[in-house]
Amino acid sequence: MNSMEKNKKIFAPTDEAISRAAEIIKNGGLVAFPTETVYGLGANALDETAVKKIFEAKGRPADNPLILHVTNKFEASSYAVLNNTAESLMERFWPGPLTIVLYSLLNVPLCARGGLDTVALRSPKNPIALRLIEMSGIPLAAPSANRSGRPSPTTALEVWDDLGTSVDMILDGGSTEIGVESTVIDATNGKVSILRPGGVTREILETITKVVPDEGANSRRSPGTRHRHYAPSVEIRLWECEERTFFQNAEKWCYVGIRIPPDGSMKNIIFDTPRDYARGLFSALRELEGCGASVIIADLPDGAGLGEAIRNRLLHAAGRV
Ligand code: TXA
Ligand code: MG
């Protein structure tokens, strides 16, 4: 598609644009919008036909459930069975990058929850996202706004690259702040386990609640973790050890990470802190896949803080999960 058409779909998030976006949502269309984590591809969660358009646009397997985006816990209670643990987590972390899986009420279409008896809920912190949900007056089902299997988009242009033809409108809120997706937790029975590490770190969650291991139910409970994910179109290799000889066997490589690699790279993207690495990782993968190298070497951080989410995304991207 040419840039004329791009200009007709990407809009600055003025009140007028957000209100148009809300109309599109109410009429069963698809709107991509920024959240504090990554861009989401939103539709009316209560409209089956609209929800199915999301799966089609992304090429997403039907058994991979969506997150319902709401403005607060009172709204959440219209779609899921809350418990004390879930409520205190909502009070502490909402709006913010925490997605909570709970037993679903029957008004949530089965296709939005991938046929499960549970539903994932999150209240995003980005004011554009909140305003869009508010103005639509309905919960937004929204996965990350990438083609299925690709790195999540952190800018409006990256959404355009993946979904430009199938989305009705893209609200441009600039680069997203956190860069990796929300933490998904299971709290159905009042015990908390992490299904996907993300923007709220395990350490911070543990200041509020005990986190129990997922006991291997992960892939069954969170179907999204089964599929190949976050992968650019060239091979990814992970640099985990201290050994710099690791780089010697690679031909035409480029690099992303915090540690400084040896000479010989076609292109380096270096970040100062894990926070910056998380924020820039997905964009870096998209940029590096086009630089002409045949291998992207990525620095695998340890699992502390946001490092856990970065590791998770890199292991998926390298096909190691
Ligand atoms: O930060 C985010 O979470 C972004 C923004 C747009 O909110 N959204 C996002 O959505 O990453 P998505 O669809 O790309 O990832 C949602 C994850 C998937 O791994 C999915 O399997 C899991 O949440 N999930 C959704 N509903 C679930 C449920 N009922 N039970 C278990 N896992 C669920
Ligand atoms: Mg996704």
Side-chain angles (χ1 to χ4, degrees):
M1 252 187 301
N2 61 35
S3 61
M4 280 271 287
E5 287 173 74
K6 180 154 64 183
N7 294 340
K8 281 192 217 148
K9 285 200 180 174
I10 303 186
F11 286 84
T14 58
D15 253 11
E16 198 197 332
I18 300 175
S19 119
R20 268 191 55 201
E23 286 308 311
I24 293 173
I25 296 283
K26 286 191 262 185
N27 290 320
L30 298 182
V31 173
F33 61 96
T35 79
E36 73 280 25
T37 56
V38 300
Y39 275 73
L41 177 65
N44 178 353
L46 306 180
D47 175 347
E48 252 181 67
T49 315
V51 169
K52 285 184 176 151
K53 283 188 194 165
I54 295 180
F55 285 90
E56 205 171 301
K58 281 185 58 99
R60 182 177 175 107
D63 67 352
N64 192 0
L66 306 176
I67 298 172
L68 262 58
H69 294 68
V70 295
T71 52
N72 57 46
K73 82 170 184 185
F74 300 105
E75 228 177 288
S77 69
S78 306
Y79 306 105
V81 184
L82 307 197
N83 53 52
N84 290 340
T85 312
E87 286 198 49
S88 49
L89 290 169
M90 288 169 185
E91 275 154 27
R92 168 68 178 78
F93 293 108
W94 280 11
L98 183 71
T99 295
I100 306 179
V101 173
L102 292 165
Y103 287 114
S104 183
L105 297 183
L106 292 174
N107 53 356
V108 182
L110 263 180
C111 62
R113 37 192 165 107
L116 300 173
D117 59 357
T118 55
V119 61
L121 290 155
R122 145 163 144 85
S123 177
K125 195 169 189 166
N126 181 299
I128 303 163
L130 278 174
R131 189 99 181 94
L132 177 62
I133 305 168
E134 238 166 54
M135 286 180 121
S136 306
I138 31 186
L140 299 191
S144 50
N146 49 280
R147 289 276 309 164
S148 200
R150 301 266 305 139
S152 297
T154 55
T155 66
L157 271 181
E158 289 166 0
V159 176
W160 169 263
D161 287 341
D162 273 21
L163 299 173
T165 49
S166 41
V167 72
D168 296 305
M169 183 174 183
I170 301 171
L171 288 170
D172 187 352
S175 292
T176 58
E177 189 188 322
I178 297 175
V180 290
E181 303 86 343
S182 63
T183 303
V184 180
I185 59 166
D186 175 20
T188 41
N189 294 315
K191 282 189 185 153
V192 172
S193 58
I194 296 179
L195 304 180
R196 177 181 73 181
V200 172
T201 63
R202 178 183 297 272
E203 292 86 338
I204 289 180
L205 257 183
E206 280 173 342
T207 62
I208 301 290
T209 182
K210 196 170 166 229
V211 176
V212 299
D214 185 42
E215 289 168 347
N218 202 342
S219 54
R220 185 173 52 80
R221 305 293 301 279
S222 193
T225 56
R226 269 205 312 267
H227 307 285
R228 179 117 196 254
H229 251 146
Y230 316 116
S233 56
V234 300
E235 187 198 342
I236 291 216
R237 272 182 225 160
L238 306 177
W239 183 28
E240 340 180 25
C241 53
E242 280 307 315
E243 283 302 313
R244 299 166 83 78
T245 49
F246 173 78
F247 289 83
Q248 282 165 4
N249 300 329
E251 301 235 324
K252 287 179 83 176
W253 55 278
C254 58
Y255 175 81
V256 58
I258 294 178
R259 288 179 289 173
I260 307 292
D263 291 343
S265 167
M266 289 184 65
K267 187 177 177 103
N268 288 327
I269 299 181
I270 312 270
F271 297 105
D272 289 335
T273 62
R275 182 163 295 276
D276 293 342
Y277 194 4
R279 186 184 294 141
L281 172 65
F282 287 139
S283 270
L285 294 179
R286 282 173 182 262
E287 190 180 332
L288 291 177
E289 72 182 354
C291 83
S294 47
V295 182
I296 298 173
I297 296 182
D299 191 0
L300 193 68
D302 67 31
L306 273 178
E308 188 179 4
I310 300 171
R311 274 183 80 87
N312 169 276
R313 305 308 186 269
L314 286 174
L315 288 165
H316 275 279
R320 299 236 314 246
V321 179

